[in-house]
Amino acid sequence: MTTTLIWIVVALVAIGLYLSWTAGRLDRLHARIDAARAALDAQLLRRASVAQELATAGVLDPAASIVLYEAAHAARQAEEEQREVAESDLSQALRAVFGEAPQVEAVREAPGGEEAARELTEAVRRVPMARRFHNDAVRAARALRRHRKVRWFRLAGHAPFPMAFEMDDEPPAALVDRAA
C-alpha cells in the first residue's frame, strides 16, 4: 500500500513538473512574441518616419512626395485593426516611387539624398526580418497552444491567442538592388 502511494505521488509530481515546464515555455514564447512585436513596431515606425522625412525633403517630384507622405502618415497614424493594411499601402507607395533606378539616383544626387536613401534602404530591409521573427514566434506559440494538455489544463492562462502580422513588405527593387 505504501509503495503504491509513493509511486502515485512520484507520478503526480512528475506530471506537475512537466505541466509547470510547459507553462513556463509558453510564457517564454509569449514574452518572445511581445519583444518581437516591439521590434517590428520600431522598424515599421522607422520606415514610415524615414519615408515621411524623405517625402518632405524636396528631393522627390511633387506627385511622388504627396503619395509617399500620405502613405507614411497613414501608416504612422493607423489604428491597430488597420495597421497591416496601412503598412502594406506604404510598401506599395515605396515601390511606386522607387520602382526605377533613375528615381533612386535622382534622390542620391540631391543634397543629403545619399544619407536619406541609405536610411530608407536599411529601413525597408529590416522590416521583413522583424516581421519574420515575430511571425515565427507566433507560429511556435500557436503550435504549443494547440496541444491538448495546454487546453485541458489551461496553461496559457488569460493570454490572448497570438496573431501573426501579415502585410506586403516587399522592398522597392531599385532601392535594394543598388545597395546590394
Side-chain angles (χ1 to χ4, degrees), residues 23-41:
R25 181 172 170 226
L26 190 57
D27 186 52
R28 287 188 302 276
L29 282 172
H30 282 142
R32 192 171 120 199
I33 289 171
D34 291 343
R37 181 58 188 241
L40 175 61
D41 286 342

Side-chain angles (χ1 to χ4, degrees), residues 91-159:
S91 295
Q92 291 168 2
L94 285 167
R95 282 196 307 272
V97 171
F98 297 106
E100 298 177 8
Q103 181 69 20
V104 176
E105 290 305 318
V107 169
R108 290 183 190 280
E109 291 170 2
E114 185 69 37
E115 177 71 20
R118 186 183 57 73
E119 282 185 44
L120 185 60
T121 301
E122 289 175 8
V124 299
R125 281 186 166 181
R126 288 180 178 161
V127 166
M129 287 187 291
R131 188 175 75 87
R132 196 171 310 120
F133 289 142
H134 175 265
N135 288 350
D136 286 347
V138 167
R139 200 171 301 112
R142 282 180 166 184
L144 186 57
R145 286 182 72 154
R146 276 194 294 268
H147 288 194
R148 205 173 294 140
K149 65 180 175 268
V150 173
R151 291 191 319 263
W152 285 354
F153 292 101
R154 302 182 195 281
L155 299 180
H158 296 289

Side-chain angles (χ1 to χ4, degrees), residues 50-117:
V50 170
Q52 206 169 18
E53 186 178 306
L54 191 59
T56 58
V59 296
L60 298 172
D61 62 87
S65 292
I66 291 171
V67 167
L68 194 58
Y69 180 83
E70 287 180 355
H73 181 71
R76 289 183 71 177
Q77 301 299 319
E79 296 293 325
E80 192 60 35
E81 299 82 34
Q82 299 299 318
R83 183 96 187 264
E84 294 172 352
V85 174
E87 294 295 346
S88 293
D89 290 345
L90 178 56
S91 295
Q92 291 168 2
L94 285 167
R95 282 196 307 272
V97 171
F98 297 106
E100 298 177 8
Q103 181 69 20
V104 176
E105 290 305 318
V107 169
R108 290 183 190 280
E109 291 170 2
E114 185 69 37
E115 177 71 20

